[in-house]
């Protein structure tokens, strides 16, 4: 005889989607049916295993008085100061043995209890539904002691009929949540594993005769300007759209003249679906999405997607996002010229989609499905190719489509991410195509496009993208007929991405290339008392992927990173280019739908970076794709012969939903003439006196040739050749990219420990010349370096010439000089700004006069790395010095050395020392996005080759 001693938790490892839940349906907030939010503080008990506790906590009268509390929506691992476990970050590895559908016995299980009062005026007619908008990863639910069922599918809504069970007065809702379940095998997205009831829990009254499910079909015929509306509803009723004089029965089509919905012109019509029992607000956007002539067209026009991948993230609350945070994402996207979002890699909170409808963003809505970890075993046992799992896959597809089908912003349904290929995916695609033929299907893993309506790839390099644009990429017959998007590209990890402008050029050049979605929106840093922001490994995970989780265009607190500023410039909706010498500016409307009537233009003219004149520019309201040349006024005459340049800006002509009047959407700059280089007669002669050499305002150590001071400014460390930078995530590259990971190759070569051998110090007639050889231990390669100092009596000029010796097989990280100043805070410069720039990420660097402080020059990448360079600097002033470049240079200053920056893992490891370290660089190596994609393109390589460059120093005190 045998008997079982543990309670049955078989449902946890059951591949089925669950039992007891209602069929999926449209998600909406009723105008008049009552609802009760069950968000708030819940009683909470954590167990180490799924079966540790019996079900008695679900019984009425159970005393949970000694339980802890958690906030719902929320993840328990982010609450309780570590008492409830901690987050785990893995990219694609399952943090448990791959043994589908089984999960570890150690399966953190959170019992949640919520006692609530049913309001006394809660209607007694009809029924009620209990809705969970998101629970990770498996939940079993009881109301007043009766089990309702269990479900999986973390980022999908699940509803239960509870009308019969509700009681007047006190009700008890019990939810048991297991961190791991069979569903976890389908949710292997690159993100933190965060169990909990992380989205809303709501009780909905369902009056008799209320809407069950409905489907708004609102198409637009661009040839007639008419829209056709038909609202299908399970329960008959009427559809009212007052602004269009529409009053029709459900199921009946009606065609009227309308303004279409596009992401650029998100016109929504308010309507109502009225049934006997309920009024449902509708927000109707008329648009038609088709695949035609091998292109994705909306309302007859091909769209260029300027998108981003958005995970839901908040540094303290994880994936439990409030409405304001969602709105902040949308506002930031709109203000930075983005027009599209892929909801990687699961359907977002539905309120986010409402915002996309309202503010205007094209959406790829992606299903909650990823099985990436199976790649470790060549995709053997992959659930998407195993019929036993197909019901779960179809359930997920249906829960996405049914919930979100009434959003005009959604143009693609995505089957999921990185799940290999298989019959289950095909079944999903077939079901979706059948249920919603009015949208297209996306899935990146399907390179043959068997199931999809677009050829989608991630991180394809520029040259391959170009081939695809030219239709030279081959592929199946089906694929050759499809447009191309990069559902992920330009990995925004750490400093970068570089190479964005080069991608955009390709997207704009070839029709077949319909744009892409940057990976990704936000760094998933977890707020941490000591570390600032934590990433993988900071919670002692046994398997983790470090800071690969911090790869967004905005920092964890949503401050835009330089990558976002760069992207905004690269995708600006208006192109402004000029012929400065002839005073002509060419304006091109790069939008797909809107003319330029929402924008105003202004010109300004700068002399040496300072605006001396400005005015408005009259530009015709060009149609999409149109361009015009506009004459600028005569440039101001500058008696001093300074550098003159035009700046032309496109601004919002009035307030919009997403930004106020005068918000800058695009700009262009062009020179009136070339920059006059500093002239410098070398008139002074070095003089030796008591171990010191004096040359103009400067003093040097006669033995070493080290610069000691200029005028009254002490130089803490003499300018020396510097080639090292703290490798960026993109320099280090992803593990799988073996031959071009220069961050690694540089270190192997020893560029982080260069030695300086002094060859000679020679005081000549008009110059002090210091020769040295700069090279790493154990290698024969080196850089022959000559520092030539001259003076005109007041100023000091340093000319550096560098001659590489030996066989340099790698580019240099940087090439310039580094020196130290004992004091410096305020910084002013004339050059590129206001933010950082690198050779392949400098589109947004605007030439002007900028001010900052040493601290504010730093870009706070979550994992410290090279950052903060300013491009095209003509001169900079700091610490009592003025430094002019011949030619322009890259400027960086920080309160720690590059070596300290390199050693730091978190920003909290960086402590300001008593020296400000200044780098004046002649060149920097490009950035690229090799942390997942391509490295810098060849034109952004900093090759080791002979060069000469100069700086002129003077004092400002
Ligand atoms: C992709 C994946 C994303 C993310 C990215 C790298 O392969 O789809 O989820 O992991 O790489 O950050």
């Amino acid at each position: 005889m045998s008997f079982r001693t543990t309670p049955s938790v078989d449902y946890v490892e059951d591949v089925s989607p669950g039992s007891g839940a209602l069929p999926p349906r449209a998600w909406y907030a009723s105008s008049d049916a009552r609802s009760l939010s069950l968000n708030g503080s819940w009683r909470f008990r954590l167990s180490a295993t799924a079966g540790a506790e019996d079900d008695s906590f679900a019984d009425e009268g159970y005393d949970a008085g000694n339980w802890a509390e958690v906030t719902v929506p929320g993840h328990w691992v982010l609450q309780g100061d570590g008492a409830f476990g901690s987050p785990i970050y893995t990219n694609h590895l399952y943090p448990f043995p791959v043994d589908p559908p089984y999960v570890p016995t150690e399966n953190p299980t959170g019992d949640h209890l919520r006692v609530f009062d049913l309001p006394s005026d809660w209607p007694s007619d009809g029924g009620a539904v209990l809705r969970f908008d998101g629970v990770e990863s498996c939940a079993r639910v009881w109301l007043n002691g009766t089990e309702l069922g269990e479900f999986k599918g973390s980022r999908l809504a699940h509803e239960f009929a509870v009308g019969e069970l509700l009681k007047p007065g006190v009700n008890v809702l019990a939810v048991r949540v297991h961190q791991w379940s069979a569903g976890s095998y389908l949710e292997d997205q690159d993100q933190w594993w965060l169990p909990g009831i992380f989205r809303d829990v709501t009780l909905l009254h369902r009056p008799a005769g209320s809407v069950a499910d409905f489907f708004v079909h609102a198409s637009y015929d661009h040839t007639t300007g008419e829209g056709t509306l038909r609202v299908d509803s399970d329960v008959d009723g009427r559809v009212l759209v007052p602004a269009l004089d529409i009053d029709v029965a459900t199921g009946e089509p009606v065609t009227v003249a309308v303004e279409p919905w596009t992401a650029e012109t998100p016109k929504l019509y308010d309507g109502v679906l009225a049934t006997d029992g309920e009024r449902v607000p509708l927000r109707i956007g008329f648009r038609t999405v088709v695949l035609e002539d091998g292109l994705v067209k909306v309302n007859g026009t091909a769209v260029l997607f300027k998108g981003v991948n958005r995970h839901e993230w908040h540094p303290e609350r994880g994936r439990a996002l409030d409405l304001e945070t969602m709105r902040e994402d949308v506002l930031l996207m709109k203000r930075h010229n983005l027009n599209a979002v892929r909801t990687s890699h699961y359907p977002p909170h539905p309120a986010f989609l409402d915002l996309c409808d309202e503010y205007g963003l094209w959406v790829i809505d992606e299903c909650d499905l990823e099985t990436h970890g199976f790649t470790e075993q060549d995709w053997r046992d992959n659930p998407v190719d195993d019929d036993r799992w197909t019901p779960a896959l179809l359930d997920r597809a249906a829960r996405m489509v049914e919930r979100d089908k009434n959003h005009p912003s959604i143009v693609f349904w995505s089957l999921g991410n990185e799940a290999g290929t298989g019959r289950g995916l095909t079944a999903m695609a077939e079901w979706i195509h059948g249920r919603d033929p009015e949208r297209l299907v996306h899935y990146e893993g399907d390179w043959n496009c068997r199931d999809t309506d677009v050829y989608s790839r991630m991180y394809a390099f520029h040259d391959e993208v170009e081939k695809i644009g030219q239709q030279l990429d081959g592929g199946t017959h089906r694929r050759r007929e499809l447009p191309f998007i990069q559902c992920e590209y330009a990995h925004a990890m750490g400093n970068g991405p570089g190479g964005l402008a080069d991608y955009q050029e390709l997207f704009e050049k070839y029709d077949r290339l319909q744009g892409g979605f940057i990976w990704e929106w936000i760094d998933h840093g977890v707020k941490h008392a000591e570390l600032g922001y934590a990433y993988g490994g900071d919670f002692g995970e046994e398997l983790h992927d470090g800071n690969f989780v911090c790869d967004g265009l905005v920092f964890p607190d949503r401050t835009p990173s330089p990558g976002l500023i760069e992207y905004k410039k690269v995708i600006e909706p208006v192109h402004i280019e000029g012929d400065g010498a002839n005073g002509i500016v060419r304006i091109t409307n790069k939008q797909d739908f809107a003319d330029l009537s929402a924008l105003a233009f202004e010109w300004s003219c700068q002399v040496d970076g300072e605006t001396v004149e400005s005015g408005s520019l009259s530009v015709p309201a060009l149609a999409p794709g149109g361009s015009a040349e506009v004459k600028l006024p005569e440039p101001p005459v500058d008696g001093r012969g300074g550098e003159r340049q035009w700046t032309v800006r496109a601004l919002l002509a009035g307030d919009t939903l997403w930004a106020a009047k005068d918000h800058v959407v695009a700009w262009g700059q062009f020179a009136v003439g070339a920059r006059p280089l500093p002239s410098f007669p070398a008139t002074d002669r070095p003089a030796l006196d008591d171990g010191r050499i004096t040359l103009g305002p400067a003093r040097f150590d006669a033995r070493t040739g080290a610069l000691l001071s200029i005028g009254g400014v002490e130089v803490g460390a003499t300018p020396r050749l510097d080639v090292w930078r703290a490798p960026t995530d993109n320099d280090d590259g992803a593990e799988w990219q073996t031959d071009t990971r220069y961050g690694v190759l540089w270190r192997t070569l020893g560029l982080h420990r260069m030695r300086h051998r002094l060859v000679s110090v020679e005081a000549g007639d008009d110059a002090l010349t210091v020769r040295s050889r700069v090279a790493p231990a154990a290698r024969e390669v080196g850089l022959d370096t000559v520092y030539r100092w001259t003076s005109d009596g007041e100023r000091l000029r340093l000319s550096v010439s560098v001659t590489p010796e030996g066989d340099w097989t790698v580019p240099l990280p940087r090439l310039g000089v580094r020196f130290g100043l004992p004091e410096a805070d305020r910084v002013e410069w004339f050059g590129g700004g206001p933010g950082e720039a690198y050779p392949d990420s400098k589109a947004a660097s605007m030439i002007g006069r900028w001010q900052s402080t040493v601290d504010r020059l730093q870009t706070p990448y979550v994992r410290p790395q090279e950052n903060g360079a300013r491009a095209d600097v003509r001169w900079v002033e700091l610490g009592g010095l003025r430094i002019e470049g011949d030619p322009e240079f890259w400027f960086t200053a920080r309160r720690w050395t590059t070596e300290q920056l390199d050693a730091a893992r978190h920003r909290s490891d960086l402590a300001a020392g008593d020296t400000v370290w200044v780098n004046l660089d002649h060149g920097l190596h490009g950035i690229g996005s090799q942390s997942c994609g391509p490295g810098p393109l060849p034109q952004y390589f900093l090759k080791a080759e002979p060069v000469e460059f100069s700086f002129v120093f003077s004092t400002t005190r």
Side-chain angles (χ1 to χ4, degrees), residues 528-866:
H528 190 284
E530 286 103 59
L531 303 174
Y533 292 110
Y535 50 78
D538 289 336
F539 298 101
E541 302 104 290
E542 66 178 21
L543 277 183
H544 68 83
D545 287 288
N547 66 316
F548 203 61
V549 77
C550 291
D551 51 2
L553 292 177
V554 298
F555 294 113
D557 66 356
R558 292 187 155 70
T559 308
S561 81
L564 182 59
I565 309 299
E566 176 78 0
Y567 195 37
K568 173 183 179 181
K569 178 74 179 96
V570 163
I571 57 175
E572 56 192 11
V574 180
H575 186 60
I576 300 172
E577 64 192 334
D579 170 356
N582 292 309
I584 290 170
V585 56
R586 185 172 192 86
I587 312 269
T588 306
N589 179 1
K590 299 214 286 189
Q591 298 174 106
D592 296 322
F593 299 94
D595 68 18
L596 293 189
S597 55
L599 301 179
F601 288 80
E602 68 178 35
W603 62 268
S604 58
C605 193
Q606 287 81 36
V607 176
D608 289 337
E610 282 194 292
T611 297
V612 291
E613 277 182 31
S614 61
S616 63
L617 192 69
S618 152
V619 174
L622 299 166
S627 70
E629 283 191 353
V630 182
K631 184 91 186 106
L632 291 163
E634 279 303 305
V637 181
D638 174 48
R640 294 165 303 155
E643 180 182 356
R644 289 180 301 165
Q645 125 215 320
W646 295 104
T647 304
V648 173
R649 292 182 167 83
L651 328 151
L652 288 181
D655 292 348
T656 65
L657 256 190
W658 47 270
K661 179 173 183 296
D662 293 338
H663 164 84
V664 176
V665 301
W667 55 272
Q669 277 189 325
F670 28 97
V672 177
R675 169 188 174 222
L677 290 174
S679 76
F680 196 88
T683 51
D684 234 55
R685 205 190 156 92
L688 180 67
D689 175 26
D690 195 20
R692 300 279 185 259
I693 292 172
T694 309
L695 177 62
R699 293 197 320 140
F700 297 84
D701 181 314
R703 270 183 313 118
T704 62
L707 175 68
L708 302 173
S709 64
I710 305 174
V713 179
E714 299 292 317
V715 176
T718 188
R720 290 211 300 184
L721 193 77
D722 190 14
V723 296
W724 183 237
R725 73 181 185 200
T728 64
D729 295 315
N730 286 314
D731 288 337
D732 283 339
E735 281 160 34
W736 62 86
Q737 305 193 342
T738 44
D739 55 342
T740 53
R741 300 174 63 196
Y742 288 119
V744 177
L745 298 177
W746 290 334
R747 224 183 272 279
T748 309
L749 187 61
L751 298 190
H752 59 307
R753 45 174 172 75
M754 295 294 264
R755 296 306 176 104
H756 297 246
R757 175 169 65 82
L758 182 63
V759 177
S760 63
V761 180
E762 298 159 28
D765 279 351
D766 62 352
L768 171 69
T769 305
V770 181
R771 294 173 194 279
S772 74
R773 188 173 187 279
V774 184
R779 310 284 171 200
E780 63 171 357
V781 291
L783 299 164
D784 215 16
T785 308
V786 181
Y787 308 87
R788 188 164 186 276
W789 298 95
T790 53
S791 174
D792 64 357
E794 280 178 20
R795 299 176 297 163
L796 182 70
R797 179 181 179 112
L798 166 63
S799 296
V800 184
S801 65
V802 181
T803 312
E805 292 180 341
D807 187 14
W808 282 88
T809 53
V810 294
L812 297 171
R814 69 168 0 115
L815 185 67
V817 294
R818 163 162 86 161
F819 66 100
L821 287 173
E823 261 171 52
D825 187 26
R826 234 182 64 88
V827 183
E828 181 167 356
W829 75 100
F830 171 30
E836 76 176 29
Y838 286 81
D840 53 351
S841 62
K842 69 186 269 258
S845 172
M846 184 187 254
I847 303 301
R849 285 276 274 271
W850 307 105
Q851 292 183 356
S852 184
T853 60
V854 171
D855 291 334
R856 280 195 285 119
L857 289 175
Q858 316 307 310
T859 306
Y861 294 114
V862 173
R863 185 189 74 82
Q865 54 196 277
E866 165 65 26

Side-chain angles (χ1 to χ4, degrees), residues 91 190 345 372 417-418 458-459 488 491 519 548 551 932:
N91 167 13
D190 172 5
H345 297 300
H372 201 173
N417 185 58
E418 296 185 316
M458 47 175 77
Y459 310 106
E488 292 178 29
H491 201 241
W519 187 266
F548 203 61
D551 51 2
C932 202

